[in-house]
């Protein structure tokens, strides 16, 4: 059996390409722009290694005990360029200082999102902040990580939970100098939708993109903005909650199909560290709140704990309160497939993007009825409790 026979559950991590001894697999986009493995039957020897190493069919071992902290960087200059509390640049810079190498998602010159390596503090900046599109992992990235580890270097690999699982299965063993960090993942949107959206922005502004941020903290961390700067000097700034691309992403209208049955949710993970936004911190743990961002830090291993301890003088941290994950449900379970998911794809390129997203974000009759029932039930519970 080869990987093409289980491609319906594929997360796009690319570990199958990296492990194939015959170079018989390449990643190709499907009709929605998501990468899937394509097997060259003439080159394939049916060794089965690709299917064996697939992290969905063979998940790596997860942690047994996780400690949950909250915090943010002491260096105020790091916060604006980070999605939440700037924990990542602090931890990753420690690995750089040790002569190590950091892997993470960055924009390339065309603003596609790809995994790349950073070996200096200056290069690390490109890996900071969230990119709400599935990153492509070039076939040599896993090999680069393994080569660095074999040479005794420190390696910090940051990615989505499925990508970390892909690396772990590719490596097939533990390394004392490897730190893996996943990020709380809502779902991964289509690279094709992102490409079309940014092209539309360039057309509207009559210029090529110069920079882009999905998490511009123009008015703070919670009400973040979408921001684009163009080569002609023009800028675009819109509240993320009003932005059609962001609205469609949050709704899951163009998320990868496997995200709706994600196998990598839960508190216990195969990574050393998980980073997440501490949504709702003002109400849950107000003393931990920072207006430029507060992170949750889940420590799954002794290596993760040791790295955070080494960086404690550069961070403000404390144990997270009970209920810290209340407003981050995507940490614990997959998002539900939207009722209008197929409607979105049927209408794509047939209707204006913003109009289509707005229509598909509207609840169906069944969803509206369920919401009314839930509100009614909540009201009855509240009335009973306050009698």
């Amino acid at each position: 059996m080869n990987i093409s026979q289980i491609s319906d559950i594929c997360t796009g991590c690319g570990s199958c390409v990296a492990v194939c001894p015959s170079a018989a697999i390449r990643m190709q986009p499907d009709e929605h722009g998501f990468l899937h493995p394509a097997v060259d039957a003439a080159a394939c020897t049916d060794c089965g290694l690709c299917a064996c190493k697939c992290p969905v069919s063979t998940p790596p071992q997860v942690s047994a005990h996780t400690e949950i902290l909250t915090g943010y960087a002491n260096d105020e200059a790091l916060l604006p360029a980070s999605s939440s509390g700037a924990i990542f640049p602090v931890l990753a810079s420690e690995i750089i200082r040790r002569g190590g190498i950091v892997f993470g998602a960055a924009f390339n010159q065309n603003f596609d999102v790809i995994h790349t390596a950073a070996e200096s503090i200056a290069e690390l900046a490109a890996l900071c902040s969230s990119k709400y599109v599935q990153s492509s992992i070039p076939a040599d990235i896993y090999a680069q990580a393994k080569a660095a580890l074999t040479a005794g270097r420190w390696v910090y690999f940051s990615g989505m939970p499925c990508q970390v699982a892909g690396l772990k299965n590719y490596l097939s063993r533990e390394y004392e100098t490897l730190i893996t960090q996943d990020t709380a993942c809502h779902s991964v949107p289509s690279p094709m939708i992102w490409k079309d959206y940014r092209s539309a922005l360039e057309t509207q502004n009559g210029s090529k993109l110069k920079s882009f941020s999905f998490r511009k903290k123009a008015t703070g961390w919670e009400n973040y903005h979408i921001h684009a700067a163009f080569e002609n000097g023009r800028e675009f700034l819109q509240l993320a909650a009003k932005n059609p691309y962001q609205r469609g992403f949050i709704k899951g209208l163009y998320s990868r199909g496997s995200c709706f049955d994600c196998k990598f949710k839960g508190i216990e993970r195969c990574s050393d560290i998980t980073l997440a936004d501490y949504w709702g911190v003002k109400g849950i743990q107000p003393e931990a709140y920072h207006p430029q961002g507060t992170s949750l830090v889940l420590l799954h291993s002794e290596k993760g704990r040791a790295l955070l301890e080494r960086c404690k003088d550069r961070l403000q941290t404390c144990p997270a309160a009970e209920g810290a994950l209340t407003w981050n449900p995507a940490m614990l379970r997959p998002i539900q497939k939207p009722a209008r998911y197929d409607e979105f794809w049927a209408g794509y390129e047939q209707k204006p993007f913003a109009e289509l997203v707005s229509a598909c974000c509207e609840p169906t009759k069944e969803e509206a009825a369920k919401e009314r029932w839930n509100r009614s039930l909540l009201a009855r519970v509240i009335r009973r409790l306050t009698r």
Side-chain angles (χ1 to χ4, degrees), residues 127-147:
L127 277 56
C128 294
S129 196
S130 298
K131 287 90 177 171
Y132 293 138
V133 59
Q134 182 164 30
S135 67
S136 169
I137 299 185
D140 65 338
I141 287 292
Y142 290 133
Q144 282 185 51
K146 185 174 183 178

PDB file of all heavy atoms in Angstrom, residues 127-147:
ATOM      1  N   LEU A 127       9.543  34.632  10.665  1.00  0.00           N
ATOM      2  CA  LEU A 127       8.806  33.475  11.167  1.00  0.00           C
ATOM      3  C   LEU A 127       7.785  33.857  12.235  1.00  0.00           C
ATOM      4  O   LEU A 127       6.971  33.025  12.642  1.00  0.00           O
ATOM      5  CB  LEU A 127       9.766  32.438  11.748  1.00  0.00           C
ATOM      6  CG  LEU A 127      10.434  31.460  10.773  1.00  0.00           C
ATOM      7  CD1 LEU A 127      11.187  32.180   9.669  1.00  0.00           C
ATOM      8  CD2 LEU A 127      11.385  30.523  11.521  1.00  0.00           C
ATOM      9  N   CYS A 128       7.840  35.114  12.701  1.00  0.00           N
ATOM     10  CA  CYS A 128       6.928  35.557  13.751  1.00  0.00           C
ATOM     11  C   CYS A 128       5.551  35.903  13.177  1.00  0.00           C
ATOM     12  O   CYS A 128       5.419  36.224  12.007  1.00  0.00           O
ATOM     13  CB  CYS A 128       7.505  36.781  14.462  1.00  0.00           C
ATOM     14  SG  CYS A 128       9.016  36.449  15.392  1.00  0.00           S
ATOM     15  N   SER A 129       4.544  35.844  14.010  1.00  0.00           N
ATOM     16  CA  SER A 129       3.160  36.200  13.720  1.00  0.00           C
ATOM     17  C   SER A 129       2.464  35.146  12.854  1.00  0.00           C
ATOM     18  O   SER A 129       3.076  34.488  12.022  1.00  0.00           O
ATOM     19  CB  SER A 129       3.065  37.567  13.042  1.00  0.00           C
ATOM     20  OG  SER A 129       1.733  38.053  13.111  1.00  0.00           O
ATOM     21  N   SER A 130       1.166  35.007  13.076  1.00  0.00           N
ATOM     22  CA  SER A 130       0.366  33.983  12.403  1.00  0.00           C
ATOM     23  C   SER A 130       0.167  34.308  10.928  1.00  0.00           C
ATOM     24  O   SER A 130       0.037  35.470  10.550  1.00  0.00           O
ATOM     25  CB  SER A 130      -1.004  33.864  13.074  1.00  0.00           C
ATOM     26  OG  SER A 130      -0.876  33.467  14.413  1.00  0.00           O
ATOM     27  N   LYS A 131       0.159  33.250  10.114  1.00  0.00           N
ATOM     28  CA  LYS A 131      -0.211  33.362   8.710  1.00  0.00           C
ATOM     29  C   LYS A 131      -1.409  32.447   8.504  1.00  0.00           C
ATOM     30  O   LYS A 131      -1.278  31.224   8.598  1.00  0.00           O
ATOM     31  CB  LYS A 131       0.927  32.928   7.788  1.00  0.00           C
ATOM     32  CG  LYS A 131       2.095  33.912   7.714  1.00  0.00           C
ATOM     33  CD  LYS A 131       3.128  33.623   8.761  1.00  0.00           C
ATOM     34  CE  LYS A 131       4.324  34.554   8.633  1.00  0.00           C
ATOM     35  NZ  LYS A 131       5.243  34.424   9.803  1.00  0.00           N
ATOM     36  N   TYR A 132      -2.564  33.029   8.236  1.00  0.00           N
ATOM     37  CA  TYR A 132      -3.787  32.228   8.169  1.00  0.00           C
ATOM     38  C   TYR A 132      -3.978  31.617   6.784  1.00  0.00           C
ATOM     39  O   TYR A 132      -4.904  31.942   6.044  1.00  0.00           O
ATOM     40  CB  TYR A 132      -4.986  33.058   8.603  1.00  0.00           C
ATOM     41  CG  TYR A 132      -4.935  33.421  10.072  1.00  0.00           C
ATOM     42  CD1 TYR A 132      -5.273  34.688  10.525  1.00  0.00           C
ATOM     43  CD2 TYR A 132      -4.533  32.479  11.022  1.00  0.00           C
ATOM     44  CE1 TYR A 132      -5.221  35.010  11.875  1.00  0.00           C
ATOM     45  CE2 TYR A 132      -4.473  32.794  12.370  1.00  0.00           C
ATOM     46  CZ  TYR A 132      -4.822  34.057  12.785  1.00  0.00           C
ATOM     47  OH  TYR A 132      -4.763  34.377  14.124  1.00  0.00           O
ATOM     48  N   VAL A 133      -3.076  30.698   6.476  1.00  0.00           N
ATOM     49  CA  VAL A 133      -3.098  29.917   5.241  1.00  0.00           C
ATOM     50  C   VAL A 133      -2.197  28.720   5.479  1.00  0.00           C
ATOM     51  O   VAL A 133      -1.227  28.803   6.244  1.00  0.00           O
ATOM     52  CB  VAL A 133      -2.618  30.764   4.036  1.00  0.00           C
ATOM     53  CG1 VAL A 133      -1.208  31.276   4.240  1.00  0.00           C
ATOM     54  CG2 VAL A 133      -2.706  29.992   2.737  1.00  0.00           C
ATOM     55  N   GLN A 134      -2.500  27.574   4.868  1.00  0.00           N
ATOM     56  CA  GLN A 134      -1.668  26.399   5.090  1.00  0.00           C
ATOM     57  C   GLN A 134      -0.296  26.606   4.476  1.00  0.00           C
ATOM     58  O   GLN A 134      -0.161  26.956   3.298  1.00  0.00           O
ATOM     59  CB  GLN A 134      -2.298  25.140   4.524  1.00  0.00           C
ATOM     60  CG  GLN A 134      -1.444  23.895   4.802  1.00  0.00           C
ATOM     61  CD  GLN A 134      -2.175  22.595   4.622  1.00  0.00           C
ATOM     62  OE1 GLN A 134      -3.079  22.497   3.813  1.00  0.00           O
ATOM     63  NE2 GLN A 134      -1.788  21.596   5.387  1.00  0.00           N
ATOM     64  N   SER A 135       0.743  26.383   5.266  1.00  0.00           N
ATOM     65  CA  SER A 135       2.099  26.517   4.752  1.00  0.00           C
ATOM     66  C   SER A 135       2.502  25.253   4.002  1.00  0.00           C
ATOM     67  O   SER A 135       2.084  24.144   4.333  1.00  0.00           O
ATOM     68  CB  SER A 135       3.089  26.780   5.887  1.00  0.00           C
ATOM     69  OG  SER A 135       3.196  25.649   6.725  1.00  0.00           O
ATOM     70  N   SER A 136       3.333  25.452   2.994  1.00  0.00           N
ATOM     71  CA  SER A 136       3.924  24.341   2.260  1.00  0.00           C
ATOM     72  C   SER A 136       5.280  24.026   2.887  1.00  0.00           C
ATOM     73  O   SER A 136       6.057  24.940   3.186  1.00  0.00           O
ATOM     74  CB  SER A 136       4.100  24.730   0.787  1.00  0.00           C
ATOM     75  OG  SER A 136       4.889  23.780   0.104  1.00  0.00           O
ATOM     76  N   ILE A 137       5.547  22.734   3.121  1.00  0.00           N
ATOM     77  CA  ILE A 137       6.844  22.334   3.669  1.00  0.00           C
ATOM     78  C   ILE A 137       7.673  21.730   2.535  1.00  0.00           C
ATOM     79  O   ILE A 137       7.377  20.627   2.072  1.00  0.00           O
ATOM     80  CB  ILE A 137       6.699  21.318   4.816  1.00  0.00           C
ATOM     81  CG1 ILE A 137       5.888  21.937   5.960  1.00  0.00           C
ATOM     82  CG2 ILE A 137       8.056  20.861   5.319  1.00  0.00           C
ATOM     83  CD1 ILE A 137       5.778  21.066   7.198  1.00  0.00           C
ATOM     84  N   PRO A 138       8.686  22.454   2.039  1.00  0.00           N
ATOM     85  CA  PRO A 138       9.531  21.904   0.978  1.00  0.00           C
ATOM     86  C   PRO A 138      10.119  20.563   1.398  1.00  0.00           C
ATOM     87  O   PRO A 138      10.383  20.313   2.583  1.00  0.00           O
ATOM     88  CB  PRO A 138      10.625  22.964   0.811  1.00  0.00           C
ATOM     89  CG  PRO A 138       9.987  24.237   1.293  1.00  0.00           C
ATOM     90  CD  PRO A 138       9.083  23.816   2.426  1.00  0.00           C
ATOM     91  N   ALA A 139      10.348  19.701   0.414  1.00  0.00           N
ATOM     92  CA  ALA A 139      10.787  18.332   0.692  1.00  0.00           C
ATOM     93  C   ALA A 139      12.085  18.274   1.484  1.00  0.00           C
ATOM     94  O   ALA A 139      12.322  17.319   2.228  1.00  0.00           O
ATOM     95  CB  ALA A 139      10.935  17.567  -0.630  1.00  0.00           C
ATOM     96  N   ASP A 140      12.942  19.300   1.350  1.00  0.00           N
ATOM     97  CA  ASP A 140      14.246  19.232   2.017  1.00  0.00           C
ATOM     98  C   ASP A 140      14.238  19.774   3.442  1.00  0.00           C
ATOM     99  O   ASP A 140      15.248  19.678   4.145  1.00  0.00           O
ATOM    100  CB  ASP A 140      15.292  19.973   1.196  1.00  0.00           C
ATOM    101  CG  ASP A 140      15.014  21.472   1.100  1.00  0.00           C
ATOM    102  OD1 ASP A 140      13.848  21.876   1.295  1.00  0.00           O
ATOM    103  OD2 ASP A 140      15.955  22.235   0.831  1.00  0.00           O
ATOM    104  N   ILE A 141      13.104  20.338   3.903  1.00  0.00           N
ATOM    105  CA  ILE A 141      13.072  20.925   5.246  1.00  0.00           C
ATOM    106  C   ILE A 141      13.261  19.855   6.320  1.00  0.00           C
ATOM    107  O   ILE A 141      14.052  20.016   7.266  1.00  0.00           O
ATOM    108  CB  ILE A 141      11.762  21.707   5.478  1.00  0.00           C
ATOM    109  CG1 ILE A 141      11.783  23.018   4.697  1.00  0.00           C
ATOM    110  CG2 ILE A 141      11.528  21.970   6.963  1.00  0.00           C
ATOM    111  CD1 ILE A 141      12.796  24.039   5.195  1.00  0.00           C
ATOM    112  N   TYR A 142      12.537  18.738   6.197  1.00  0.00           N
ATOM    113  CA  TYR A 142      12.702  17.662   7.174  1.00  0.00           C
ATOM    114  C   TYR A 142      14.139  17.134   7.156  1.00  0.00           C
ATOM    115  O   TYR A 142      14.721  16.845   8.207  1.00  0.00           O
ATOM    116  CB  TYR A 142      11.732  16.516   6.869  1.00  0.00           C
ATOM    117  CG  TYR A 142      10.271  16.819   7.120  1.00  0.00           C
ATOM    118  CD1 TYR A 142       9.302  16.490   6.182  1.00  0.00           C
ATOM    119  CD2 TYR A 142       9.844  17.427   8.296  1.00  0.00           C
ATOM    120  CE1 TYR A 142       7.946  16.751   6.392  1.00  0.00           C
ATOM    121  CE2 TYR A 142       8.503  17.694   8.523  1.00  0.00           C
ATOM    122  CZ  TYR A 142       7.561  17.353   7.571  1.00  0.00           C
ATOM    123  OH  TYR A 142       6.229  17.614   7.798  1.00  0.00           O
ATOM    124  N   ALA A 143      14.704  17.017   5.959  1.00  0.00           N
ATOM    125  CA  ALA A 143      16.084  16.526   5.835  1.00  0.00           C
ATOM    126  C   ALA A 143      17.071  17.516   6.450  1.00  0.00           C
ATOM    127  O   ALA A 143      18.055  17.106   7.080  1.00  0.00           O
ATOM    128  CB  ALA A 143      16.418  16.277   4.368  1.00  0.00           C
ATOM    129  N   GLN A 144      16.807  18.813   6.270  1.00  0.00           N
ATOM    130  CA  GLN A 144      17.677  19.832   6.894  1.00  0.00           C
ATOM    131  C   GLN A 144      17.652  19.706   8.410  1.00  0.00           C
ATOM    132  O   GLN A 144      18.688  19.813   9.080  1.00  0.00           O
ATOM    133  CB  GLN A 144      17.216  21.236   6.495  1.00  0.00           C
ATOM    134  CG  GLN A 144      17.603  21.685   5.107  1.00  0.00           C
ATOM    135  CD  GLN A 144      17.187  23.130   4.884  1.00  0.00           C
ATOM    136  OE1 GLN A 144      17.485  24.020   5.685  1.00  0.00           O
ATOM    137  NE2 GLN A 144      16.468  23.370   3.807  1.00  0.00           N
ATOM    138  N   ALA A 145      16.460  19.521   8.962  1.00  0.00           N
ATOM    139  CA  ALA A 145      16.331  19.382  10.414  1.00  0.00           C
ATOM    140  C   ALA A 145      17.097  18.157  10.901  1.00  0.00           C
ATOM    141  O   ALA A 145      17.828  18.217  11.907  1.00  0.00           O
ATOM    142  CB  ALA A 145      14.857  19.286  10.800  1.00  0.00           C
ATOM    143  N   LYS A 146      16.945  17.049  10.191  1.00  0.00           N
ATOM    144  CA  LYS A 146      17.635  15.822  10.596  1.00  0.00           C
ATOM    145  C   LYS A 146      19.148  15.975  10.504  1.00  0.00           C
ATOM    146  O   LYS A 146      19.888  15.523  11.393  1.00  0.00           O
ATOM    147  CB  LYS A 146      17.177  14.650   9.726  1.00  0.00           C
ATOM    148  CG  LYS A 146      17.769  13.312  10.161  1.00  0.00           C
ATOM    149  CD  LYS A 146      17.178  12.162   9.368  1.00  0.00           C
ATOM    150  CE  LYS A 146      17.724  10.821   9.872  1.00  0.00           C
ATOM    151  NZ  LYS A 146      17.116   9.677   9.136  1.00  0.00           N
ATOM    152  N   ALA A 147      19.623  16.624   9.450  1.00  0.00           N
ATOM    153  CA  ALA A 147      21.070  16.823   9.283  1.00  0.00           C
ATOM    154  C   ALA A 147      21.629  17.671  10.423  1.00  0.00           C
ATOM    155  O   ALA A 147      22.721  17.381  10.942  1.00  0.00           O
ATOM    156  CB  ALA A 147      21.349  17.473   7.933  1.00  0.00           C
TER     157      ALA A 147
END
